[in-house]
Amino acid sequence: MPRSPANLTALRPAARGTAGAGKKQAASRKTGSKTAGAAVPDDELQNTTRRIADSITAAIVERRLMPGTKLAEQKIADIFKVSRTIVRQALHQLSRDKLVTLTQARGARVAQPSVDEARQVFEVRQMLEAAMIKRAAAELTEPQIAQLRQHLRDEEAAVQRTDVPGRTHLLADFHVVLARMLGNEALADILRELVSRSSLISLMYQSAHSAEHSFAEHVAIVDALEARDARAAVKLMQSHLHNVERNLRLNPRVPDLPSVLHAGDPS
């Protein structure tokens, strides 16, 4: 699958830290800040690291960064106007989330999930989201259903205007929004990671699953939730995830060598 160059310019720079008062040099050495003598609070450093990680994740989910793309530390540091140490922390965080691979020889690159990993990710999503949607059918309030309807309107608008990054983000975020509505941030965090990895898998294996089809399936799921039909909601969610996985090319055809190599007529 051909790769597009890393679209790092799309990442939004984070705000620079303000200079502290006192112990500036010690804080600078501790945090690895590029600005000499600048003391940056730990919470601000964590927020900056999180913003960098979130920006790279969004670029992956929205198909602006392709599997295998090199993530140059210095280039990212220049974009965000921070030190390479902070960028390295963000990349290590993404490595733990399985979105980035780190090797001594090749540095940081957007991960390239294997077929086995793809199957495992969708297996976990089936188990988690079946339980989640069953609970949602019983617990979601009318205002939350209305919020989901607004989310669907946003999805539809993005699909109709062929906004590929926008619709990709919204279609993926639908699942995280449901988890967050149940008040379970741990579940929302797990699903956010799984959905991001699913987006990478789709990029790797060229999903033919249309955005229109995903949107229609989301509408049916919300209809079942509004009707308080837990059985139908679970069945629809399972079918939705199965359809996405089924349309991935996880069993690529092995080409017949004589049929693809043409020696030609020697002259």
Side-chain angles (χ1 to χ4, degrees), residues 73-112:
E73 287 182 5
Q74 189 58 59
K75 184 179 289 187
I76 299 172
D78 291 343
I79 292 168
F80 285 90
K81 297 180 173 59
V82 296
S83 72
R84 291 179 62 176
T85 300
I86 296 175
V87 173
R88 198 171 297 122
Q89 290 172 354
L91 293 175
H92 275 285
Q93 190 169 313
L94 292 170
S95 175
R96 291 193 296 271
D97 293 342
K98 307 297 184 183
L99 295 178
V100 166
T101 56
L102 300 173
T103 61
Q104 191 168 5
R106 303 182 70 202
R109 291 181 181 270
V110 178
Q112 296 176 285

Side-chain angles (χ1 to χ4, degrees), residues 57-202:
T57 300
I60 291 170
V61 171
E62 296 170 10
R63 305 187 176 211
R64 291 182 276 115
L65 278 174
M66 303 298 284
T69 301
K70 183 174 177 60
L71 300 170
E73 287 182 5
Q74 189 58 59
K75 184 179 289 187
I76 299 172
D78 291 343
I79 292 168
F80 285 90
K81 297 180 173 59
V82 296
S83 72
R84 291 179 62 176
T85 300
I86 296 175
V87 173
R88 198 171 297 122
Q89 290 172 354
L91 293 175
H92 275 285
Q93 190 169 313
L94 292 170
S95 175
R96 291 193 296 271
D97 293 342
K98 307 297 184 183
L99 295 178
V100 166
T101 56
L102 300 173
T103 61
Q104 191 168 5
R106 303 182 70 202
R109 291 181 181 270
V110 178
Q112 296 176 285
S114 68
V115 168
D116 282 343
E117 183 180 345
R119 292 197 175 102
Q120 289 169 17
V121 165
F122 277 96
E123 182 180 2
V124 173
R125 286 192 64 183
Q126 284 280 8
M127 290 186 288
L128 280 178
E129 296 196 52
M132 176 187 73
I133 206 70
K134 182 178 181 180
R135 183 180 158 196
E139 296 184 16
L140 290 190
T141 64
E142 291 303 318
Q144 287 175 322
I145 295 293
Q147 185 181 341
L148 285 175
R149 293 289 184 195
Q150 180 58 56
H151 195 285
L152 292 176
R153 286 192 288 273
D154 293 340
E155 287 183 23
E156 185 177 26
V159 168
Q160 289 180 346
R161 66 175 178 264
T162 322
D163 175 7
V164 176
R167 78 188 186 197
T168 302
H169 170 76
L170 286 165
L171 290 169
D173 197 48
F174 174 81
H175 300 263
V176 181
V177 167
L178 276 169
R180 194 176 293 117
M181 284 181 172
L182 294 175
N184 192 326
E185 283 300 320
L187 176 60
D189 287 343
I190 291 170
L191 270 183
R192 189 180 298 109
E193 176 192 331
L194 290 171
V195 166
S196 298
R197 291 172 70 181
S198 298
S199 296
L200 255 183
I201 290 162
S202 293

